[in-house]
C-alpha cells in the first residue's frame, strides 16, 4: 500500500512522505503570502525547521519565524507571538511542530485581530461567538510529531500562568485550512517523544471510545486508531527510521483528535492540571493515568472493550485490554506512577480542583466528583 493521499476530512490534508515540498501550494490555497512560522524553542534550530524555512524563502514567502513557545504554552507566549505576527505584517500562520507549536500557532492566528483577552474565548457554552471571525488569520498546520492531533482540531490548550490551569480555547475557524502530514518530519524524534506522543494518540482513541455520548462515526475512528497505535508504535519506537510505522502513527494521531469530538474523560481531566502545575509531558502523563482510569471506569466500559479487544486481537476481553495497556507502557519506558514524574501527594487537592473544571470531565463514563478524583490521583500516584 502506498501511504499517500489527499483527504478532505476533517479539513484538507496532504498526507505522505516528502509532501512538505508542497508548502507553497498550501499557502497559496489558504491565501497566505507572508506567513509566520510558529514553532517551539527546541525545534527552531533543528534541520527539519531550517529546511522548511528554506522552502518558504525559495517560494517567496519569507523566513518569518516565532519560536518563544514553552512545552506547555501560556498566555505570555501567545502575547509575544501576536506581537511578532503584527509587527511583521504577516497574513497567515504556519503552525509547525508538536502540540505546543501547533496549539500556540493556531492561537496566534486566532488572536492577532481580537480585542478581548484570550480567556474570554474559553470553551464554555457559546463563548466562541464573542470572537470576530473575520479577524482570524488563515492557518497551515504541519505536525512534526504523531500524537496530539492538534493539526485537525478546532481548539488549543493554553496554560494560564497565573492560576496554573490549562484552558481550552475554541473556535470553528481555528481548524487549519490545509494540513501537511509528512511522516519524514517525524523521523528524528527521540524514543521518549515517540512513545509519549504515540500514547497521547492512543489515549485520545481510548477516551473517545469510552465516552458515553452518541457519535458512531467517532467510535469507529477511535477503534481503528487504537489498532494503528498497537500495531505501529512498537515498530516506530524500535526503529525511528521505519517510515511506514511513522506514517501510520501520523494517521492515528489525526484520527484520535477527530474521534475525541465524541468526548474525552478522566485521563485528560487529570493530565491537564498535572501538566500545568508540574510541567510534565502531556502524552506521557496520559499514559501513566490510563491504567487507573480504565479500572475506575470498568463498570461502564467493560462490555464495549470486550468488543474492542477482539478487534485488536487482544485475548482476555476488557481485563486483557487493561493488561495490554500496562505491558505497552512498560515496553516503552513509561513510569508506573505519577510520583515518578515529580507529582507529589500534597498537590492532589490543587490537582483535583483543576480537574473538576476541565471540560474533559464531561465525557467520562462515570460522573467525576471531588471524592472519586482524589482517589484516582492517589491510585495513579
Amino acid at each position: 500500500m502506498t501511504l499517500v493521499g489527499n483527504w478532505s476530512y476533517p479539513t484538507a490534508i496532504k498526507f505522505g512522505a516528502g509532501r512538505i515540498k508542497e508548502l507553497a501550494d498550501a499557502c497559496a490555497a489558504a491565501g497566505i503570502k507572508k506567513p509566520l512560522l510558529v514553532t517551539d524553542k527546541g525545534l527552531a534550530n533543528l534541520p527539519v525547521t531550517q529546511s522548511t524555512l528554506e522552502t518558504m524563502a525559495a517560494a517567496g514567502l519569507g523566513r518569518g519565524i516565532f519560536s518563544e513557545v514553552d512545552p506547555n504554552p501560556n498566555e505570555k507566549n501567545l502575547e509575544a507571538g501576536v506581537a511578532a505576527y503584527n509587527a511583521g505584517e504577516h497574513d497567515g500562520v504556519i503552525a509547525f511542530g508538536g502540540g505546543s507549536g501547533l496549539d500556540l500557532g493556531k492561537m496566534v492566528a486566532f488572536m492577532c485581530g481580537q480585542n478581548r483577552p484570550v480567556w474570554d474565548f474559553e470553551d464554555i457554552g457559546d463563548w466562541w461567538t464573542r470572537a470576530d471571525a473575520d479577524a482570524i488569520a488563515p492557518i497551515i498546520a504541519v505536525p512534526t510529531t504523531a500524537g496530539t492531533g492538534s493539526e485537525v482540531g478546532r481548539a488549543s490548550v493554553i496554560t494560564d500562568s497565573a492560576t496554573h490551569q490549562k484552558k481550552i480555547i475554541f473556535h470553528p475557524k481555528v481548524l487549519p485550512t490545509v494540513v501537511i502530514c509528512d511522516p519524514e518530519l517525524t523521523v528524528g524524534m527521540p524514543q521518549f517523544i515517540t512513545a509519549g506522543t504515540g500514547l497521547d494518540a492512543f489515549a485520545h482513541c481510548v477516551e473517545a471510545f469510552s465516552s458515553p455520548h452518541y457519535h458512531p462515526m467517532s467510535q469507529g475512528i477511535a477503534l481503528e486508531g487504537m489498532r494503528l497505535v498497537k500495531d505501529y508504535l512498537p515498530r516506530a519506537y524500535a526503529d525511528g527510521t521505519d517510515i511506514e510505522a511513522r506514517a501510520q502513527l501520523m494517521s492515528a494521531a489525526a484520527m484520535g483528535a477527530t474521534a475525541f469530538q465524541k468526548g474525552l474523560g478522566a485521563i485528560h481531566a487529570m493530565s491537564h492540571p498535572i501538566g500545568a502545575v508540574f510541567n510534565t509531558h502531556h502524552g506521557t502523563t496520559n499514559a501513566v493515568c490510563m491504567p487507573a482510569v480504565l479500572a475506575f471506569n470498568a463498570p461502564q466500559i467493560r462490555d464495549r472493550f470486550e468488543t474492542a479487544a477482539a478487534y485488536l486481537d487482544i485475548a482476555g476481553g476488557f481485563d486483557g485490554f487493561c493488561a495490554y495497556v500496562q505491558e505497552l507502557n512498560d515496553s516503552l519506558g513509561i513510569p508506573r506512577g505519577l510520583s515518578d514524574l515529580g507529582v507529589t501527594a500534597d498537590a492532589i487537592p490543587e490537582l483535583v480542583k483543576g480537574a473538576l473544571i476541565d471540560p474533559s470531565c464531561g465525557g467520562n463514563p462515570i460522573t467525576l466528583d471531588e471524592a472519586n478524583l482524589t482517589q484516582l490521583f492517589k491510585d495513579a500516584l
Side-chain angles (χ1 to χ4, degrees), residues 128 136 153-154 170-176:
W128 65 272
I136 301 172
R154 300 169 296 170
F170 166 84
H171 194 282
K173 286 191 70 175
V174 169
L175 181 67

Side-chain angles (χ1 to χ4, degrees), residues 137-178:
I139 304 164
I140 304 297
V142 184
T144 63
T145 65
T148 175
S150 183
E151 66 272 13
V152 295
R154 300 169 296 170
S156 291
V157 179
I158 303 295
T159 299
D160 185 331
S161 60
T163 65
H164 300 292
Q165 293 176 349
K166 286 193 175 186
K167 298 184 177 180
I168 298 174
I169 312 301
F170 166 84
H171 194 282
K173 286 191 70 175
V174 169
L175 181 67
T177 303
V178 181

Side-chain angles (χ1 to χ4, degrees), residues 279-298:
N279 203 33
T280 58
H281 183 268
H282 175 66
T284 303
T285 311
N286 282 343
V288 175
C289 291
M290 192 180 302
V293 173
L294 286 170
F296 172 76
N297 283 330

Side-chain angles (χ1 to χ4, degrees), residues 165-358:
Q165 293 176 349
K166 286 193 175 186
K167 298 184 177 180
I168 298 174
I169 312 301
F170 166 84
H171 194 282
K173 286 191 70 175
V174 169
L175 181 67
T177 303
V178 181
V179 176
I180 295 177
C181 284
D182 184 342
E184 290 183 349
L185 302 181
T186 71
V187 166
M189 277 196 296
Q191 276 191 318
F192 80 98
I193 296 295
T194 297
T197 53
L199 290 169
D200 191 21
F202 192 69
H204 293 158
C205 293
V206 168
E207 290 219 282
F209 196 76
S210 301
S211 170
H213 303 310
Y214 180 69
H215 199 321
M217 290 179 286
S218 286
Q219 197 76 344
I221 292 170
L223 184 59
E224 176 65 1
M226 283 188 275
R227 185 190 71 82
L228 292 180
V229 175
K230 174 182 177 289
D231 288 353
Y232 293 100
L233 179 54
R235 279 177 51 176
Y237 184 79
D239 177 7
T241 65
D242 185 336
I243 199 67
E244 180 187 8
R246 292 294 194 186
Q248 298 285 17
L249 287 176
M250 188 163 264
S251 292
M255 292 165 73
T258 302
F260 72 57
Q261 293 181 39
K262 182 172 177 279
L264 290 169
I267 293 173
H268 280 76
M270 296 169 68
S271 182
H272 285 153
I274 291 169
V277 175
F278 291 96
N279 203 33
T280 58
H281 183 268
H282 175 66
T284 303
T285 311
N286 282 343
V288 175
C289 291
M290 192 180 302
V293 173
L294 286 170
F296 172 76
N297 283 330
Q300 293 298 321
I301 67 173
R302 177 177 291 275
D303 288 347
R304 76 188 70 175
F305 274 92
E306 297 279 343
T307 302
Y311 179 77
L312 297 171
D313 198 25
I314 295 172
F318 174 73
D319 293 332
F321 179 85
C322 293
Y324 163 77
V325 167
Q326 188 59 67
E327 290 166 5
L328 179 63
N329 280 357
D330 291 344
S331 72
L332 300 175
I334 300 298
R336 284 220 168 193
L338 292 173
S339 59
D340 295 318
L341 300 180
V343 179
T344 55
D346 60 0
I348 288 178
E350 181 182 2
L351 298 175
V352 169
K353 181 180 178 182
L356 283 170
I357 62 173
D358 192 281

Side-chain angles (χ1 to χ4, degrees), residues 13-27:
I13 299 174
K14 297 176 179 291
F15 189 98
R19 301 201 68 178
I20 189 62
K21 297 174 184 176
E22 300 175 39
L23 183 59
D25 293 338
C27 286

